[in-house]
């Protein structure tokens, strides 16, 4: 058991301290809008975080779906525009998303319920993590278009996850006898 916890600690330390990785394919030939949209979709851990958060938010007693989608989209836009593209694809940004996924999984397992304010703070944080990929582009106009595409895709992922989880929740309810 100690070996396992020591290995997990070493893996976390490596993930936090590792050098930046530039593993994503450039989609620049498609234009700045599609580049931003596809960059979000090909980062894997960030779309997973947005979807997992939306599913968890759908399990709350008080639903605020529209506000969750807006908060995630706005957070993603702000973070994408504020993050420099030359340092955006770092292991540490991905590690934050993975840690957030683990915490979200724990909250789901424990069926934790939060108030609207805490849900909104968590939604904005989720959007900021999703947008931490960073916008690419030479001009501020290109960066804004790129960040807009990224935030639209992040908001769409949240909206579809909220809709899907609502359908599944109704489907899984036991019929009254």
């Amino acid at each position: 058991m100690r070996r396992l916890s020591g290995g997990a600690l070493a893996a976390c330390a490596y993930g936090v301290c590792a050098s930046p990785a530039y593993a994503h394919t450039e989609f620049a030939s498609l234009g700045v809008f599609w580049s931003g949209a596809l960059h979000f979709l090909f980062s894997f851990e960030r779309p997973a975080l947005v979807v997992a958060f939306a599913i968890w938010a759908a399990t709350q007693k008080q639903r605020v779906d529209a506000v969750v989608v807006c908060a995630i989209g706005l957070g993603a836009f702000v973070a994408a525009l504020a993050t420099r593209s030359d340092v955006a694809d770092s292991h540490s940004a991905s590690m934050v998303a993975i840690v957030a996924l683990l915490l979200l999984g724990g909250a789901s397992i424990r069926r934790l319920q939060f108030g609207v304010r805490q849900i909104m703070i968590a939604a904005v944080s989720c959007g900021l993590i999703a947008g931490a990929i960073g916008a690419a582009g030479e001009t501020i106009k290109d960066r804004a278009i790129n960040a807009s595409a990224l935030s639209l895709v992040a908001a769409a992922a949240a909206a579809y996850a909220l809709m899907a989880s609502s359908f599944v929740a109704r489907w899984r309810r036991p019929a009254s006898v």
Side-chain angles (χ1 to χ4, degrees):
M1 187 62 147
R2 283 188 178 174
R3 263 195 255 170
L4 182 61
S5 62
L9 183 60
C12 287
Y14 173 76
V16 171
C17 301
S19 62
Y22 299 97
H24 297 251
T25 308
E26 284 294 327
F27 300 107
S29 62
L30 298 174
V32 291
F33 180 85
W34 291 110
S35 176
L38 292 173
H39 200 131
F40 172 78
L41 292 174
F42 281 93
S43 63
F44 298 116
E45 74 282 349
R46 292 167 194 160
L49 176 62
V50 168
V51 169
F53 177 80
I55 291 169
W56 177 76
T59 66
Q60 301 300 302
K61 288 178 182 161
Q62 188 171 359
R63 296 285 299 262
V64 284
D65 294 7
V67 183
V68 165
V69 170
C70 289
I72 288 173
L74 189 61
F77 177 79
V78 168
L81 203 56
T83 307
R84 287 188 8 224
S85 59
D86 59 337
V87 296
D89 291 331
S90 67
H91 284 294
S92 58
S94 295
M95 183 56 89
V96 171
I98 292 167
V99 168
L101 267 169
L102 292 173
L103 293 173
L104 199 54
S108 298
I109 290 167
R110 301 276 305 176
R111 297 181 184 195
L112 292 180
Q113 297 286 312
F114 287 119
V116 174
R117 185 170 45 171
Q118 289 85 2
I119 293 289
M120 291 303 94
I121 291 168
V124 169
S125 300
C126 181
L128 289 171
I129 293 168
I133 296 165
E138 296 298 319
T139 66
I140 190 67
K141 177 185 167 192
D142 285 348
R143 288 177 56 80
I145 291 170
N146 194 273
S148 297
L150 195 148
S151 66
L152 285 172
V153 173
Y160 283 120
L162 284 163
M163 286 190 308
S165 62
S166 295
F167 172 75
V168 170
R170 281 194 303 265
W171 176 68
R172 291 187 66 195
R173 254 189 219 135
S176 57
V177 181

